[in-house]
Amino acid sequence: MIDPRLAELLDAAPGLRLKTGPADLEHYGRDWTRRWTPAPLAVALPGTVEEVQAVGRGANRHKVAIVPSGGRTGLSGGAVAAHGELVLSLERMNRVLDFDPVDRTLTVQAGTPLEAVQEAARGHGLQYPVDFAARGSCTIGGNIATNAGGIRVIRYGNTREWVAGLKVVTGAGEVLELNRGLVKNSSGYDLRHLFIGSEGTLGIVVEATLKLTDPVPQGSVMLLALPSFEVLMQVFAEFRARLRLEAFEFFTDVALRHVLAHGGQAPFAGTYPYYVVTEFAGGDEATEAAAMAAFEHCMEQGWIVDGVISQSGAQAAQLWRLREGITESIARYTPYKNDVSVRISAMPAFLARAQALLGQAYPQYEVVWFGHIGDGNLHINVLKPADVDGAEFVAHCEQVTRLLAQALQEHGGSISAEHGIGLVKKPYLGSIRSPEEIALMRGIRRVFDPNGILNPGKLLDA
Ligand code: 2HG
Ligand code: ZN
């Protein structure tokens, strides 16, 4: 028999789709973290803003928690429903609603996959430049909820920079139109920015008006081999000084080995401990000369020991695969993930500290280092050995994360650069936010969601 709360929902919004089968509950109740057992009450799939409002009203009436759900590619447990929540999937709201050639904006429903946004922009001769490996599965609503970053932040910034307007349904069921696509709007608090990065705790993003920009002509991609961690920031400084960088990403040989185990060709005859993938716009002679000058200077200094440069789009894609394939290639080891950042200027000191700390803390585990080094963002993945119990492994890694959080605090960094706090990083929020800030965040949450129905337990406790 159908739960009376769900029957009431269907009465209020007959067009709403509900899923309650065990396979659906499992599928929609988890994200890429895989740490929690999914146990939602049901999955609601609205097709309109009014249906989202109906779900909100019903949830408020019965004090049922809602977990907003996009592509569930999150890595911090922000979209996990493990306690009888109602998952509100935006999957059916996946249409491009409008393109304005004068404003150069694209208005899309929140469930639109990032890749579809990028394609729609290209179709109009423009680009939406936020980009990362999960582009085919993640949705723009989820990108906004976490202020997603990715591989081109160094040039274009995070999702926040590209949101010109938002339509949201608050926890109280009101519809708000925030900023309405304006470039200039000095009229008090910019609530749009509160919603960006709020991890589904203030309201449900239902539509977004996104800024687009000029496409960049196909540039070149270089793969560089480095002899040590210590020279990484010198290589970055040299390339950044001479070229307009679109991306500057690093990974270790351990990461490369995992990617190659899944297919693809080794880029060099030999192996080296560290690699950088960098992309720069241009394609003209001056850019090529600048890239060669940077490369040669680094070789002379002994900061680079080998390198290749793409000669075609296909080769560029092959080189990118070596970096973009990392997360997928290690997924079967249920990695414990750290996603940390410091200011770029603090990176050399922090790198040395983190390497010493983690080397000592994890002698028995394989640790995969990679990340957006040009943004001061490191991803550290600790792989679980098959014979170690999952809970024991996580408990051990959490002890180390506490030490890492302390080191980050000393270096003025953040425990979550781009994946969000969710459930995974909640214990460490105090390492980046003061008690006063956290109290204000709680207060803001209560204003938008007075009954505490929106993604409870995520980001911060009530
Ligand atoms: C990336 O940069 C993503 O590829 C995933 O942020 C990072 O798996 C990770 O730790
Ligand atoms: Zn990343």
Side-chain angles (χ1 to χ4, degrees), residues 415-429:
I415 193 72
S416 174
E418 59 172 2
H419 295 168
I421 295 292
L423 292 169
V424 174
K425 302 288 155 51
K426 200 169 60 170
Y428 317 102
L429 187 64

Side-chain angles (χ1 to χ4, degrees), residues 307-326:
V308 292
I309 184 161
S310 65
Q311 302 297 331
S312 66
Q315 263 181 16
Q318 256 171 21
L319 294 178
W320 263 120
R321 191 193 151 261
L322 303 176
R323 160 65 182 89
E324 292 205 307
I326 299 172

Side-chain angles (χ1 to χ4, degrees), residues 334-362:
T334 41
Y336 180 90
K337 289 174 186 285
N338 286 118
D339 161 42
V340 302
S341 69
V342 292
R343 287 188 303 159
I344 302 163
S345 56
M347 203 63 183
F350 177 71
L351 271 180
R353 175 79 185 276
Q355 217 190 4
L357 196 159
L358 298 187
Q360 226 172 42
Y362 292 128

Side-chain angles (χ1 to χ4, degrees), residues 388-435:
V388 173
D389 168 71
E392 200 182 293
F393 173 70
V394 169
H396 182 188
C397 294
E398 304 239 284
Q399 279 172 17
V400 180
T401 297
R402 266 185 278 283
L403 300 177
L404 192 64
Q406 254 168 37
L408 281 161
Q409 217 168 1
E410 285 159 30
H411 290 83
S414 173
I415 193 72
S416 174
E418 59 172 2
H419 295 168
I421 295 292
L423 292 169
V424 174
K425 302 288 155 51
K426 200 169 60 170
Y428 317 102
L429 187 64
S431 70
I432 173 75
R433 301 300 193 113
S434 67

